[in-house]
Amino acid sequence: MKLHEYQSKLIFAKYGIPIPKGRVAATASEARHIAEELGGRVVIKSQVLVGGRGKAGGIRVAKSSKEAEEFATQILAMEIKGLPVRKVLVDEAANIDQEIYLGITNDRAARRPVLMASAAGGVEIEEVARTSPEKIIKIHIDPLLGLRDFQARDIAVGIDLPKEYWKQFAEICRGLWRTYVECDATLAEINPLVILKEKHLMALDGKMLVDDNALFRHADLAEMRDVDEEASIETEARKYGLSFIKLDGQIGCMVNGAGLAMATMDIVKLFGGEPANFLDIGGGASSDKVAAALRIILSDKNVKAILFNVFGGITRCDEVARGILSALKEIKSNIPMVVRLVGTNAEEGRKLLADAKMITAESLVDAAKKSVAATKA
Ligand code: GDP
Ligand code: MN
């Protein structure tokens, strides 16, 4: 689950990380009131669950409360990367000397959390990561020992942070680490962490991803979910109890079982395709669940072929076939569909699909090859 900037920063503040004074507003007049309270010079920040708001014009520094209202009006009318702006954060404007990047995430390859920092923080950090990765300093954290003080100091040295800020920087690193662990986050990021002209550090932006599988033990965080702002496709999937993750490829995958779904994606890639999604319809998936899954896959304009890989155990292949057929009744689609059905009631399932102009496959390899070929046809 993604948190908004204002939510992330409030959490950071609980862990002792300094943040600017400010509040969130849903209307321009509210924004003006907050700006008045803060003395007029404020930054108006769109609250949408995507990065790159600054570059998209969704962050504006206002010199007066009147200007704050104008900017809020404009920003509240914007759409950023397809997401409408429904709220703005009105923060006291900061006098920035330097922008630093600081983040903690999971390094799966190292099987550890990794703390990353760069003196070249700010809106160009992705570019920095691509063109000069050596400017990003990384330190792995032993999850049992936690972040050690010497590691925070090593990072401070690595990014050439002036010594007068080391103590505060170490406190912020500790606060970020505690945020990451105690919230079951998969990402806790401050970009930029700034050195202010007033000679101290402050988190100007905040981004957090919380592990969905841990939300059951964080009722307070679960409540922060902003359904309006999430990719609607994933909200839809959650409603039907489907595990769905959108990806950038062209082959939609509908699979029962998470492990099989991963294997399917691997095989698709092995034969030169790119999966458009991860989707686990679960065991014993009913036909309306399958229909919902198909609607979701087809709503992605990148999808050029769909691969159904169903290993019938608890899930009955005939039930899946009925789901596909009922979904196809609603949604007319010319997208080629390749089906591999094996296991419980496979024969019956295949019979049901025989008239539906689907491409059948004997094995997963065969299905992957046919799907890839279909995207090229
Ligand atoms: P993002 O583009 O979505 O990452 O949004 P950020 O919150 O990181 O803001 C983008 C950029 O706007 C920052 O890197 C800063 O350069 C600038 N910015 C944000 N807040 C302030 C502020 O209070 N004062 C000034 N002068 N610039 C700011
Ligand atoms: Mn940022």
Side-chain angles (χ1 to χ4, degrees), residues 194-262:
V194 295
I195 304 183
L196 295 173
K197 295 232 190 305
E198 295 81 2
K199 304 272 172 213
H200 63 95
L201 302 178
M202 184 175 262
L204 279 207
D205 189 11
K207 182 172 177 186
M208 278 179 72
L209 299 179
V210 179
D211 187 344
D212 280 313
N213 296 313
L215 283 176
F216 73 93
R217 56 182 188 189
H218 298 287
D220 50 335
L221 296 176
E223 246 172 43
M224 293 182 183
R225 190 187 285 283
D226 186 348
V227 191
D228 291 342
E229 279 287 326
E230 285 187 329
S232 59
I233 198 169
E234 290 183 9
T235 310
E236 177 80 3
R238 198 166 333 103
K239 202 165 77 193
Y240 287 93
L242 301 162
S243 305
F244 176 89
I245 294 165
K246 189 187 165 341
L247 301 169
D248 297 328
Q250 299 187 312
I251 299 179
C253 300
M254 166 135 39
V255 188
N256 65 323
L260 189 60
M262 305 268 257

Side-chain angles (χ1 to χ4, degrees), residues 43 45 52-54 59 61 92-94 96 99 122-123 191-192 204-205:
V43 52
K45 313 186 74 175
R53 296 164 305 157
I59 312 269
V61 181
E92 205 168 50
I96 304 170
E99 303 196 10
V123 296
N191 184 37
L204 279 207
D205 189 11

Side-chain angles (χ1 to χ4, degrees), residues 11-73:
I11 295 171
F12 292 168
K14 278 195 204 154
Y15 290 94
I17 298 171
I19 60 164
K21 272 196 207 128
R23 272 203 338 266
V24 76
T27 65
S29 72
E30 237 181 290
R32 195 191 65 229
H33 286 303
I34 300 170
E36 275 161 10
E37 275 171 41
L38 295 174
R41 260 202 87 232
V42 291
V43 52
I44 307 288
K45 313 186 74 175
S46 51
Q47 298 298 290
V48 280
L49 295 173
V50 286
R53 296 164 305 157
K55 285 192 171 175
I59 312 269
R60 304 280 297 275
V61 181
K63 291 189 287 294
S64 65
S65 50
K66 185 169 163 287
E67 202 174 47
E69 184 170 13
E70 275 165 36
F71 289 166
T73 306

Side-chain angles (χ1 to χ4, degrees), residues 166-186:
W166 285 11
K167 187 160 170 280
Q168 212 203 343
F169 182 75
E171 276 161 20
I172 290 172
C173 290
R174 264 196 302 276
L176 196 64
W177 169 249
R178 283 188 57 210
T179 306
Y180 179 82
V181 173
E182 290 177 25
C183 297
D184 285 311
T186 53

